[in-house]
């Protein structure tokens, strides 16, 4: 076992982590975060370009001929009021006055990537080629990766031989977890408008009540998971927003719903989205709506499906350098993200989960099995999500450094 990251790189990474954690910014507003990340990469000797696909940052480090490996971390945070009690907890607000918090661990990913880039820049033995470091904006809105590609990211980087990313999860800090297949779901978010016919609540026979139609859609959508999807395949259909806005004595004209559909295979996702559309149209038709419903896909993310060969290479390297007891498997999760857009040029993806829970918090969580403990530990997107930054960062930096060296060995 070796620990490739020198103490100085870890100290600098921890300082960046605390700074970014205390000053989170929402998707699309990552000005300060991008600047802090770019400055750190520049201090490590990387060539840095900013403003790619919004506030995206691209750092490049050339080390002779060899493969090009892109490693990505995210810049953005979430509209949550932090409730961790940490002395560096966020008190920041967005441009619209909303509280903001790094509740997904993107600050950890950024700091680990900066620490890995610093380590690889200062010790160029053991790897060759081109390291591309990406600070991606707007991941939480699933827009940033595609925006960076559309803005010419791959022209800046040249052809890629691998794309790598890691994501913090509530596993013990110091551990990493790889998937044996897809690790995260693909998703489609649909905005549905049911167009009824409003009127006086005393004359329901003269109206087509969109509230009743919308309610029937919610119930009928439950059959997509229970009847249209294979029991062996994890899928989700969730109605997160259902809105009808009229006084109790009025039948509204319209009702709106926002629906998320998720699956771990693209073909399944496409099929289930079609089922959702069919149900919406059928319910509106059977109620006699005077106009067709509107079903607009407002967001889409691809399935996060790591390449088997890259996973085998990186996992072996993690076992060798971190120790087998710190490397585990990760079952498919119905969480989603957009990193797969960065593989648009055909590069294989490497992706693993990074444990973030400190030993005291893990021991204090009730239960003995990981599943029991996970039910009570604050997870990503919780206002109480508080990674054990020193431990998680040390593992996160090491995991990236050994992965790059394994894929770009000299
Ligand atoms: Zn998130
Ligand atoms: Zn995230």
């Amino acid at each position: 076992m070796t620990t490739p990251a020198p103490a100085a790189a870890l100290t600098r990474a921890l300082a960046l982590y605390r700074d970014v954690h205390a000053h989170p910014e929402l998707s699309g507003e990552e000005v300060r975060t991008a600047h802090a990340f770019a400055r750190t990469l520049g201090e490590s000797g990387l060539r840095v370009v900013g403003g790619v696909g919004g506030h995206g940052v691209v750092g490049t480090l050339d080390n002779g001929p060899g493969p090009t490996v892109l490693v990505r971390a995210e810049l953005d945070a979430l509209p949550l009021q932090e409730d961790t009690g940490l002395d560096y907890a966020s008190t920041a607000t967005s441009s619209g006055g909303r509280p903001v918090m790094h509740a997904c661990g993107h600050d950890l990913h950024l700091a680990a990537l900066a620490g890995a880039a610093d380590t690889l820049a200062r010790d160029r033995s053991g790897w060759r080629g081109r390291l591309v470091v990406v600070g991606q904006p707007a991941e939480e809105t699933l827009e940033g990766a595609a925006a960076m590609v559309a803005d010419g990211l791959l022209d800046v980087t040249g052809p890629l031989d691998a794309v790598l990313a890691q994501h913090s999860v509530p596993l013990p800090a110091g551990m990493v977890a790889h998937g044996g297949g897809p690790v995260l779901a693909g998703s489609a978010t649909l905005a549905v408008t049911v167009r009824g016919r409003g009127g006086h609540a005393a004359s329901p026979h003269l109206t087509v009540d969109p509230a009743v139609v919308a309610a029937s859609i919610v119930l009928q959508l439950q059959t997509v998971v229970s009847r249209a999807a294979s029991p062996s395949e994890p899928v989700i259909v969730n109605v997160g927003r259902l809105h009808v806005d009229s006084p109790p004595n009025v039948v509204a004209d319209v009702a709106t719903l926002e629906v998320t559909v998720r699956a771990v295979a693209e073909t399944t996702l496409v099929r289930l989205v079609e089922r959702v559309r069919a149900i919406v149209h059928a319910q509106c038709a059977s109620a006699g709506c005077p106009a067709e419903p509107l079903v607009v896909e407002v967001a889409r993310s691809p399935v996060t499906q790591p390449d088997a060969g890259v996973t085998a290479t990186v996992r072996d390297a993690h076992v060798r350098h971190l120790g087998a007891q710190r490397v585990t498997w990760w079952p498919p999760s119905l969480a989603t993200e957009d990193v797969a857009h960065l593989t648009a040029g055909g590069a294989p993806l490497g992706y693993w989960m990074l444990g973030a829970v400190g030993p005291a918090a893990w021991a204090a969580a009730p239960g003995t099995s990981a599943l029991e403990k996970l039910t009570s530990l604050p997870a990503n997107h919780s206002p109480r999500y508080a990674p054990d930054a020193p431990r998680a960062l040390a593992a996160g930096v090491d995991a990236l450094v050994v992965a790059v060296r394994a894929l770009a060995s000299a």
Side-chain angles (χ1 to χ4, degrees):
M1 263 190 280
T2 59
T3 304
L10 275 181
T11 302
R12 282 191 289 270
L14 191 57
L16 177 66
Y17 171 78
R18 290 184 176 222
D19 178 55
V20 169
H21 186 90
H23 301 94
E25 294 167 302
L26 287 185
S27 313
E29 299 186 2
E30 309 95 335
V31 178
R32 185 188 185 282
T33 311
H35 187 256
F37 187 59
R39 190 182 58 229
T40 306
L41 297 182
E43 287 167 359
S44 298
L46 278 74
R47 211 169 53 247
V48 183
V49 177
V52 180
H55 299 300
V57 175
V58 184
T60 307
L61 185 64
D62 285 317
N63 193 24
T68 299
V69 178
L70 182 152
V71 190
R72 170 275 218 169
E74 314 91 316
L75 298 167
D76 58 337
L78 288 157
L80 287 169
Q81 179 78 59
E82 179 159 354
D83 186 24
T84 60
L86 294 167
D87 58 6
Y88 51 90
S90 163
T91 56
T93 52
S94 69
S95 62
R98 290 197 287 176
V100 189
M101 175 193 175
H102 268 293
C104 205
H106 296 178
D107 45 357
L108 200 62
H109 312 164
L110 278 177
L113 181 48
D118 195 49
T119 304
L120 291 163
R122 287 168 203 274
D123 178 2
R124 302 193 184 196
S125 64
W127 74 279
R128 60 194 170 84
R130 171 175 283 184
L131 174 69
V132 179
V133 172
V134 166
Q136 183 206 304
E139 186 283 325
E140 294 290 356
T141 55
L142 302 173
E143 297 166 314
M148 288 190 80
V149 172
D151 199 21
L153 170 66
L154 301 181
D155 299 332
V156 177
T157 64
L160 302 175
D161 293 286
V163 172
L164 302 180
Q166 58 183 354
H167 205 295
S168 72
V169 289
L171 287 175
M175 294 193 73
V176 295
H178 291 263
V183 292
L184 296 172
S187 78
T189 304
L190 305 172
V192 176
T193 305
V194 174
R195 299 191 281 182
R197 185 189 306 116
H200 199 294
S203 309
H205 56 296
L206 303 179
T207 73
V208 178
D209 187 350
V212 174
V213 180
S216 72
I217 288 172
V218 173
L219 291 179
Q220 202 57 32
L221 286 181
Q222 307 311 307
T223 65
V224 177
V225 174
S226 68
R227 287 296 172 265
S230 162
S232 63
E233 202 176 351
V235 296
I236 281 184
V237 175
N238 185 63
V239 181
R241 189 166 283 148
L242 169 55
H243 191 72
V244 185
D245 191 9
S246 67
N249 59 352
V250 173
V251 173
D253 273 320
V254 296
T256 56
L257 306 94
E258 284 187 31
V259 184
T260 292
V261 185
R262 295 185 179 194
V264 293
E266 294 288 349
T267 50
T268 306
L269 183 60
V270 168
R271 194 166 59 79
L272 296 190
V273 167
E274 282 311 306
R275 286 300 309 151
V276 169
R277 287 180 184 277
I279 285 171
V280 169
H281 281 272
Q283 294 299 311
C284 290
S286 76
C289 285
E292 289 282 317
L294 304 175
V295 184
V296 179
E297 187 173 294
V298 293
R300 185 94 177 202
S301 65
V303 175
T304 303
Q305 170 94 46
D307 176 79
V310 171
T311 298
T313 301
V314 173
R315 191 176 193 279
D316 283 355
H318 285 168
V319 168
R320 260 195 324 278
H321 290 276
L322 304 176
Q325 74 282 1
R326 289 172 59 190
V327 181
T328 188
W329 290 104
W330 179 259
S333 159
L334 273 294
T336 193
E337 77 130 284
D338 67 352
V339 70
H341 285 303
L342 301 182
T343 66
L349 176 68
Y351 194 96
W352 60 90
M353 303 302 177
L354 178 69
V357 182
W362 186 263
T368 50
S369 71
L371 193 62
E372 287 173 304
K373 288 179 178 294
L374 288 172
T375 56
S376 62
L377 286 165
N380 308 65
H381 291 206
S382 161
R384 293 186 298 117
Y385 188 59
D388 181 332
R391 281 186 178 81
L393 261 183
V397 172
D398 286 358
L400 289 174
V401 168
V402 301
V404 170
R405 286 199 171 131
L407 292 165
S409 48

